Amino acid sequence: MEFRDINEFENATSRGRKEMFRFGTALLFIIMIILFASNIQTGTGVVSIELVVAAMIGGYMALNIGANDVANNVGPAVGSKALTLTGAIIIAAIFESAGALIAGGDVVSTIKKGIIDPALIGDSDTFIWLMIAALLAGALWLNLATAMGAPVSTTHSIVGGVLGAGIAAAGWSIANWEQMGAIAASWIISPVIGGLIAASFLYWIKRSITYRDDMVSAAKKMLPILIAIMAWAFSTYLIMKGLKKIWKVDFIDAVLIGLAIATATYITLRPIIARQAKRLENTKASVNTLFTMPLIFAAALLSFAHGANDVANAVGPLAAINDAVQTHGVSTKAEIPLWVMLIGAIGISLGLLLFGPKLIKTVGSEITELDQMRAFSIAMAASITVIVASQLGLPVSSTHIAVGGVFGVGFLREYLKRSYAKTIQSIRDHHQGSDQQEVEEYIIRFEKASLIEKKEMLAQLKAKEAEVALSKKERKSLDKVYQKELVKRSAFLKIVAAWVITVPASATLAALIYFTIRGMMLP
């Protein structure tokens, strides 16, 4: 065989080798969990097969959370080029693990979100197999969603699993349908609020910085304020959500502490930003670089809060099963042993390292094009939406918020592009019959004008508006001409469809798995 043929063979099989490495590493992690759990003795001194199976599935669930859910925290930073893919994975892995181990808490609710009534579950064996079915169903759905490239809510996956297995075990009356209605409402609430907040911040940044003649001076003035608001939002978010299991603080105190941190941040960063700005050119690309460091901090803090908050999605059912095995009863709260938390922390980090890049790329670049300003707006939406929703008692998904923020900035860009194209066309229409050079010179003058000057120029044009009015149908036709789709509609429809079917899909899977287990294992 010639050397060239060997090279071609190597290149052809390289992808397969990478996939085998990922699969082999994940399998090794699961095998190590099985070996460890096999050496855990219950109160009777006997190894519990149920606990071994649950630990194995809990590790599989943690891998899938790392592959799917963590992408929302770092995807925008990667898409905007503030972080490399490798850098983002390392930061997320470190801070996810830190959040889980430092602030993950000692106790977890055994029935997530109170969606079923544990009093209606007959015995501990039924409860154990119910939770195993829920955990496996949630993990399988996450795995399928990751393969499709759809970022979905891990909380909703587990909620659907518990609901489906609970109904299979005890009938329809076990479900808390009022709570399920609130969760269903969050499918709309989370992305809409996240999108609106992200779009609002981006529009504010555009009006206060990039639409100005002297963008550098505007950035020197506005960026310390924006970063201070970010510090306020993130510190409040971390105190309320990320640290809530080790430090109980009410909302007012959290806001005041956050305000103190924000003030200190503003005072510290103002002279630093002023020095950095002196070296910048008066261009949007140059000003964008000032947002890089805040984005890196945002990715780290979001990952920490996610690790502290959402690790329970992986280890909560496992902790509940461990408690049921040890006590032979069904309780509403369960302690999280260190080994259970380690499975969650290591599994999430490993899943991110092995399988996370696909979803990171989806969130960061395959929905809409992101730069640092847009990614900053999405990070702000992620923290502020959770704070607002918590105070209003609205159940929201961090995944839906982050992806909704990406959609929000994308649709805002579409709206602004369309409005600008219509404005330029309006200028051309008002100058019909004029010399072409005169029209182009007017457009160049309009593009260079400040916002106030633009408004004055448009007001003058409207005063001379032609008598011919367009019909509603003609205006809609023109809107389609001016529309530039900056959000990929295929990605939008795929993700929304995945969100809508997450709870029903995981519930159906859990019911099927529970009936299968009951047929094989239970009397």
Side-chain angles (χ1 to χ4, degrees), residues 247-438:
W247 184 26
K248 295 285 185 182
V249 180
D250 62 31
F251 175 68
I252 300 299
D253 288 340
V255 168
L256 291 175
I257 294 168
L259 181 59
I261 293 171
T263 304
T265 301
Y266 177 81
I267 294 169
T268 304
L269 288 182
R270 191 175 179 185
I272 296 172
I273 290 170
R275 285 196 299 271
Q276 289 178 335
K278 287 179 181 178
R279 301 190 296 269
L280 298 180
E281 297 176 4
N282 190 37
T283 63
K284 182 182 175 183
S286 186
V287 171
N288 243 317
T289 60
L290 292 173
F291 288 84
T292 300
M293 196 53 66
L295 269 176
I296 294 172
F297 277 100
L301 293 174
L302 282 171
S303 296
F304 183 90
H306 182 270
N309 235 6
D310 286 16
V311 73
N313 292 330
V315 302
L318 176 54
I321 292 164
N322 179 66
D323 182 76
V325 167
Q326 300 287 350
T327 63
H328 301 284
V330 180
S331 57
T332 56
K333 296 284 183 181
E335 288 189 7
I336 305 179
L338 180 60
W339 69 269
V340 172
M341 190 61 80
L342 280 171
I343 286 176
I346 296 170
I348 287 173
S349 299
L350 196 59
L352 172 66
L353 291 167
L354 296 175
F355 308 107
K358 182 173 183 177
L359 265 293
I360 289 174
K361 289 174 182 175
T362 297
V363 174
S365 59
E366 293 180 7
I367 298 173
T368 191
E369 185 182 339
L370 297 177
D371 60 16
Q372 286 95 322
M373 293 179 188
R374 296 165 200 157
F376 179 87
S377 302
I378 295 163
M380 290 297 297
S383 58
I384 292 174
T385 304
V386 171
I387 294 169
V388 172
S390 297
Q391 292 313 298
L392 295 177
L394 300 172
V396 291
S397 160
S398 59
T399 300
H400 292 190
I401 293 167
V403 179
V406 177
F407 287 137
V409 299
F411 286 126
L412 175 67
R413 290 176 63 218
E414 284 190 4
Y415 170 77
L416 294 176
K417 291 278 186 186
R418 184 171 67 247
S419 298
Y420 190 74
K422 289 169 73 175
T423 300
I424 296 299
Q425 186 59 47
S426 177
I427 291 171
R428 293 186 186 280
D429 291 342
H430 281 83
H431 285 82
Q432 279 183 2
S434 302
D435 180 67
Q436 185 64 28
Q437 186 177 349
E438 180 186 334

Side-chain angles (χ1 to χ4, degrees), residues 7 51 64 71 79 133 170 199 222 255 313 435 493 499:
N7 260 353
L51 188 57
N64 282 290
M222 290 305 304
V255 168
N313 292 330
D435 180 67
L493 293 173
W499 287 352

Side-chain angles (χ1 to χ4, degrees), residues 10-26:
E10 287 284 322
N11 292 333
T13 58
S14 63
R15 183 177 178 184
R17 288 199 304 273
K18 289 177 183 177
E19 290 300 325
M20 284 303 297
F21 172 77
R22 294 191 187 102
F23 177 76
T25 305

Side-chain angles (χ1 to χ4, degrees), residues 80-92:
S80 66
K81 306 293 192 296
L83 276 172
T84 63
L85 182 61
T86 303
I89 288 172
I90 292 170
I91 286 174

